[in-house]
Structures are given as structure tokens and as C-alpha cells.
Amino acid sequence: MTFAFENATIIGTGLIGASLSLALRAAGFTGTIAAADTNPAALEEAEALGLFDRYHTDPADAVAGAEIVILAIPVGAMGAAAATIGPALAEGAIVTDTGSVKGAVIAAMEGLPRHARFVPAHPIAGSENSGPSAGFPGLFANRWCILTPTHKTNPAALRVVADMWRAFGSNVEVMDIAHHDRVLALTSHLPHLIAYNIVRTASDLEEVTDAEVIKFSAGGFRDFTRLAASDPTMWRDVFLNNKEAVLETLGRFSEDLALLQRAIRWSDGDLLYDVFTRTRDIRRRVIDAGQDTAVPNFGRPAETGEEPEPSASPDTREPNRSVR
Amino acid sequence: MTFAFENATIIGTGLIGASLSLALRAAGFTGTIAAADTNPAALEEAEALGLFDRYHTDPADAVAGAEIVILAIPVGAMGAAAATIGPALAEGAIVTDTGSVKGAVIAAMEGLPRHARFVPAHPIAGSENSGPSAGFPGLFANRWCILTPTHKTNPAALRVVADMWRAFGSNVEVMDIAHHDRVLALTSHLPHLIAYNIVRTASDLEEVTDAEVIKFSAGGFRDFTRLAASDPTMWRDVFLNNKEAVLETLGRFSEDLALLQRAIRWSDGDLLYDVFTRTRDIRRRVIDAGQDTAVPNFGRPAETGEEPEPSASPDTREPNRSVR
């Protein structure tokens, strides 16, 4: 795979920044990758892991000479980063990002110099782990990357960024900015908010101890704990910067939940059964679309730390994969 | 492993009933296992898979001569099952169950004859798949089984049931009935209700298509689809039979969610950051307690149907397991 650039800079050395560097190398990128992180501890960790070629605490130093700059930082930090790197950018440098909100990031990038070519991008990939050591080269493989160009976006720069994501094994989709922010409010932001909230409710309840919650979490609760372990700064910024779409989606969720609450109170079993039946089909389609695994129970092993053991009971587990 | 009984009957041939039979065999049980299911299709499927020794459509026929009868049916079907099997039970037969609600099941078992020895039990284990083919012998290994004896429970029968679960590799806990129903409302019933509801909200939204929801589900939504694919009849019955505890817990959840909603509307980033930080610790403790896997992203492979590939990037993934 050949890339249209020789000098790349990644701002932010966390899960996404680290994975980007590893993905570039895995895809055969032979140029230079510089990194900047305003957090010296993260930068040191990245250097100890040998994730990049150059390490800078000042983003302006890191972007000097770069043909492409990728911002892998929380959405709320984008405006300040644009102001810092702007004067140091090479003529015609491509600037792109990985933020979960596109409207707010595009507005924040208004501060870049006119010669810079900004391409708004959002890879739909992540993990509950954060920091440089959480990165891995396959994070973006078989996941979607959404590009939301505006009328100002340079078509050549758009192609360079799209080709980069394809080189990582991602599927690239072009989408309207506002539509992106609504789709993600539903498929990503609301699920994280709900997950954070249920874990919080559980830890605040006085009749049930935290120890009991943890002990009996296999009944369903544990599925929510993964999302609720995601990076707090990143998610605070997402909610503050996609306020309108999140509040609208949350309103729908709460209305629907009130209906289920009423059905439970009035013993309306038919309504419950009807809702619980319709939701099954979505699971099947998520699996068919390659966005989740059909292995029962997420392939969770019986004991912690072990890898899943698909061979434990091949006779009975095998048929499940084709069920429904 | 020797068992205190030679003739066992399992009522219900779904995920739990099938797994019970396989777990008995795996633990070295050499006696007879009879099965009953009022659904002829399920019974036929169980027979084709060779899961049991005898197959009956009438539960009364299945329990004849059994020293232990395990009810692995939806909570709402327990009362009718008790009435049907009651007259056919052998003198002093142990009857036990696997229901997610204990108060309602204990009340339903009041219809059993006085000589029968009922032991209320609830294994905290399950899978999103249902039906006879979903069963596997290791379902209960390293999971908790909660027993909620009453003052009428026969101590010898309680020991037989506890020993059976221990033979399956389960950890046995004895708990007060009402406390069980409150703990499970939080750790299992509420998570399922929330998961069903968010998937329902997503599929009803007119601005975002189902296809988009599915395509971009890796952003978080997919984690909820697993629980929302669980058996609709079982879950309808759980909510109708643990109404009070579920409504109380749901009330707490909704209050907490309203606070987050308000924080988003008024841009209270500090409150959001504080809540999102506290929830991380619970995840770590769930993993430490052996109730979930620390493999990032549940060890999900990049492509569907494949097993997770822990060797894909050992250098970068290994450290994650000890992070936090």
C-alpha cells in the first residue's frame, strides 16, 4: 500500500492515536510519524512503547513539515489544538480528525489558516481501554469510517483521507454532518449515557451492596460495565458538543421506557411480549452485518483472564451460530 | 461425582433445561433423565439432539418415579406446572426450579402436595440464545446459584440441590427471598428492560434507518442487542412477577438519568466527568471477580463468525489486561 504522504503527525497518543500509528505501519507506511501529547505521562508511555518516530509536548512543533495531521483528541480540545497548530502548518497540509461529533468539530476548525485542507472524519471503532498501551493495529479493520465533507472540503484531500482509512481495512461512508450527529447520538452516544447511568444507579443503591452487584453481574449488568469504563473526558466532551441530538434521542428513549414501565405496573403482558419479540430481529441483523460476533455470551470464557474456549462443547455450541 | 438421586426429571427443554441435562452428564450422573415440554416442537428438537433419556408432552408422566424434579420454565408457567405434576409426584420428591424471581415462584409452589420438598433456586447464568440447541454443559460453571430457602424448606433437600449445583461448577449462595428479588431487579431485570427499550427506540426512530443503526452499531449500540435478543416469554414473566422491585429500581434509574439529562442541557461538564469516572472502578471489580473477561472489546474479532484472535497483536494487547 502506498500513501500520498511521507510525513504524518498524530496529535493525541491515546487509544486512537496509538492505534492509528500501528495501523499506518501495518498498512506499509514507511514515512515518518510524529506525535504530540500535552500530557507528558502519556507521551512518555508512548515513547517507551516505541509507537511513533518523534515525540513532542507542543503540538506546533509536531506538525512542522507534516503533509497530514490527524487530531486524535477529545472533541472539546479540538478548538485549542487548531489554534495552536494553525501557524505552524505547512502550506496545503491536510488536517483531519477522529471525533465522535462532527458539527462541533467542523466549527472548531474554522480557526485553521485558509491554506490548510480540513477533512472531517470519524472511525466507528473503539475499546473500553484508553491510553497509549491500549492501541492495536487492527482496531479499524472491518469497521466503518464516516467522512462528513462540507462545501469547502478539498476533493483531493478527501480522497487521501478516504484512501488512508481503506488501507486500515475500514469501510468508508460519506454522510451529511447533521445526519452523522443524529445517527451517532442513537448508535453510540445514547448507549454510553445509558450504560454510565445504570452503573451509577447500581453503585448508589443502598439496599444492594456493590459487592452483590459485582458478584451477580452475569445476569445482564456486566454487559453495561464495558461501555461505562470508557474514557470520561472523551465522553464528557461528546455530550457537551452533541447536546441537541443527544437530548432529542434521550427524550424518545425515556418516552418508550415510560410505556414499558406502565405496562409492567398494569400487567400488560401482551405489550411487553410484543416489544421483546421485535428487538430480536435487530440482533440477528447486527451479526449478519459483521458488526458483532454470534458466539453465545460474546464468547465469554467461564473464568476470567482466559481466552474463550470454543472447543469446550463443540457439539452443542456450533449449532447456535446459525440459529435464527 | 455421585448424586443423591437416580431418577431426575427436567420440565422444560430450552436453554436452561438442555444445559442442566448436559451438565448432569458432564458431572458424571449415570441415572435416568426424563424431560417434559408442552411444546411438541421443542421436545422433538431435544430428542433429535439426544439430550434426555425419556421425552414426554405431559409433565405428570415425566415426573413419575423421579426423586428430583427441576422446573426450567418461564416464571409465569410455574403455578400451572405445580398443579399438573403435584398428584403424580413420588412420596418426598424434591422439586426445585431455576426462576429469576423467587417470591412469585415460592407462592406458586404452594399448590404442591405437602410431602413434596420444594427448594427455590436461581442460577445466575444464561445466554441470548434459546431453545434445546442453545444448551451447553458449561453454562453454570463459575457462575453463582442462589438458593432462597423458606422456614418450610427441608434441610436435606436443600443440601441435595446445593450439591448438585456445586457439581456443575457453580458457587452456591443462600439469600433472603425479598433480597434476592431486589438484587436481581438491579443486576439482571433492569439491564434487560433497558436493553429491550433502547433497541426498540432505535428501530422506531424515523430519521435514522434500521440499516444505519445496524451498520454503525459498533459505536456502542451492539452491546445492548445481545440482551435484547433474550427469550421474550421468559422476560415478560419476569417483569410481571417481580413488579414491585423492578418498578422501584427503574424509578431510581430514571431519576439518575434525569440528572444526567439536565447536566447535558446546562453544560455541566464537571458533573458528567464525575459520574463517568466513578463507574470505571465497577468494571475493574466485575473483571477481578471473574464475572467478565478483560479482553478488550469482549475479545470481539474484526469479522463475524470468527473466534477472537488474541494473537493478532500480542505486544500491544497483552498490557491491557493489567491496566487499571
Side-chain angles (χ1 to χ4, degrees), chain A residues 130 142 173 179 187-188 201 212 215 219 221 223 226 229 243 256 267 279-280 290-292 300 302 304 316, chain B residues 130 135 142 173 179 187-188 201 212 215 219 221-223 226 228-229 243 256 267 280 290-292 300 302 304:
Chain A
S130 25
N142 203 36
E173 174 111 344
H179 190 62
T187 57
S188 179
T201 301
E212 286 173 321
K215 210 160 156 181
F221 179 79
D223 280 22
R226 191 183 76 83
K243 195 181 283 198
D256 290 342
S267 298
T279 51
R280 273 196 144 171
Q291 296 305 309
D292 209 344
R300 283 180 177 113
T304 312
T316 51
Chain B
S130 26
N142 204 36
E173 173 110 346
H179 191 63
T187 56
S188 178
T201 300
E212 286 174 320
K215 212 160 152 181
F221 181 79
R222 65 175 177 187
D223 279 22
R226 191 183 77 83
K243 194 180 284 197
D256 291 341
S267 299
R280 273 196 145 172
Q291 297 306 308
D292 209 343
R300 283 179 176 114
T304 312

Side-chain angles (χ1 to χ4, degrees), chain B residues 103-118:
Chain B
V105 171
I106 289 166
M109 289 303 138
E110 290 295 322
L112 288 177
R114 289 189 57 134
H115 70 80
R117 298 180 292 168
F118 177 60

Side-chain angles (χ1 to χ4, degrees), chain B residues 7 43 78 133 181 197 218 253 259 269 283 288 324:
Chain B
N7 294 288
L43 203 64
M78 295 283 184
S133 69
D181 288 358
N197 192 63
F253 171 86
L259 205 74
R283 171 72 179 166
D288 289 349
R324 282 199 301 277

Side-chain angles (χ1 to χ4, degrees), chain B residues 38 41 55 110 115-116 121 145 148 169 175 191 243 266 279 286 309:
Chain B
T38 52
Y55 303 86
E110 290 295 322
H115 70 80
C145 181
T148 61
M175 203 184 276
K243 194 180 284 197
W266 293 92
T279 51
V286 164
E309 294 179 276

Side-chain angles (χ1 to χ4, degrees), chain B residues 241-256:
Chain B
N241 287 282
N242 197 22
K243 194 180 284 197
E244 208 177 309
V246 168
L247 290 177
E248 160 64 18
T249 312
L250 179 53
R252 302 287 189 118
F253 171 86
S254 296
E255 281 167 34
D256 291 341

Side-chain angles (χ1 to χ4, degrees), chain B residues 21 62 88-89 112 133 142 147 156 205 228 230 232 271 292:
Chain B
S21 187
L89 285 171
L112 288 177
S133 69
N142 204 36
L147 305 180
L205 224 60
S230 302
L271 188 147
D292 209 343

Side-chain angles (χ1 to χ4, degrees), chain B residues 22 33 41 49 57 64 120 124 131 157 174 187 206 216 227 258 281 311:
Chain B
L22 293 165
I33 309 174
L49 293 164
T57 46
I124 316 295
V174 170
T187 56
E206 55 283 354
F216 306 118
L227 294 183
D281 178 54
S311 59

Side-chain angles (χ1 to χ4, degrees), chain B:
Chain B
M1 179 66 63
T2 54
F3 288 85
F5 47 87
E6 287 274 299
N7 294 288
T9 295
I10 296 169
I11 311 290
T13 63
L15 166 70
I16 302 295
S19 297
L20 280 170
S21 187
L22 293 165
L24 275 168
R25 292 300 182 210
F29 178 69
T30 53
T32 303
I33 309 174
D37 204 306
T38 52
N39 173 1
L43 203 64
E44 249 173 61
E45 193 183 334
E47 192 160 7
L49 293 164
L51 291 172
F52 305 94
D53 299 316
R54 282 168 29 211
Y55 303 86
H56 303 270
T57 46
D58 185 347
D61 292 343
V63 302
E67 295 139 83
I68 188 166
V69 175
I70 312 172
L71 299 164
I73 53 178
V75 169
M78 295 283 184
T84 305
I85 64 171
L89 285 171
E91 186 69 25
I94 295 172
V95 177
T96 186
D97 78 309
T98 58
S100 282
V101 181
K102 296 271 61 84
V105 171
I106 289 166
M109 289 303 138
E110 290 295 322
L112 288 177
R114 289 189 57 134
H115 70 80
R117 298 180 292 168
F118 177 60
V119 179
H122 176 209
I124 316 295
S127 148
E128 63 277 28
N129 297 320
S130 26
S133 69
F136 62 99
L139 179 62
F140 312 111
N142 204 36
R143 299 286 167 246
W144 289 90
C145 181
I146 302 177
L147 305 180
T148 61
T150 70
H151 64 280
K152 290 192 218 164
T153 305
N154 179 288
L158 184 67
R159 270 195 304 276
V160 170
V161 172
D163 286 347
M164 178 184 76
W165 285 104
R166 289 196 191 100
F168 299 159
S170 298
N171 303 306
V172 171
E173 173 110 346
V174 170
M175 203 184 276
D176 168 75
I177 303 160
H179 191 63
H180 168 278
D181 288 358
R182 269 197 300 267
V183 170
L184 269 290
L186 176 65
T187 56
S188 178
H189 308 170
L190 179 66
H192 277 82
L193 192 72
I194 297 304
Y196 278 125
N197 192 63
I198 196 169
V199 175
R200 188 254 181 109
T201 300
S203 64
D204 281 358
L205 224 60
E206 55 283 354
E207 308 90 10
V208 180
T209 67
D210 282 9
E212 286 174 320
V213 169
I214 288 155
K215 212 160 152 181
F216 306 118
S217 60
F221 181 79
R222 65 175 177 187
D223 279 22
F224 293 78
T225 60
R226 191 183 77 83
L227 294 183
S230 302
D231 186 62
T233 306
M234 174 192 156
W235 284 99
R236 176 199 63 195
D237 284 3
V238 164
F239 295 115
L240 296 180
N241 287 282
N242 197 22
K243 194 180 284 197
E244 208 177 309
V246 168
L247 290 177
E248 160 64 18
T249 312
L250 179 53
R252 302 287 189 118
F253 171 86
S254 296
E255 281 167 34
D256 291 341
L257 190 58
L259 205 74
L260 290 184
Q261 182 170 347
R262 192 174 184 283
I264 293 171
R265 193 178 301 280
W266 293 92
S267 299
D268 187 347
D270 291 344
L271 188 147
L272 296 176
Y273 184 84
D274 178 53
V275 169
F276 300 171
T277 306
R278 283 197 291 144
T279 51
R280 273 196 145 172
D281 178 54
I282 297 262
R283 171 72 179 166
R284 187 187 51 72
R285 291 168 61 194
V286 164
I287 290 164
D288 289 349
Q291 297 306 308
D292 209 343
T293 167
V295 177
N297 220 354
F298 292 130
R300 283 179 176 114
E303 294 187 58
T304 312
E306 278 178 26
E307 294 309 318
E309 294 179 276
S311 59
S313 53
D315 297 341
T316 52
R317 283 181 66 178
E318 204 60 43
N320 293 339
R321 300 202 192 140
S322 55
V323 162
R324 282 199 301 277

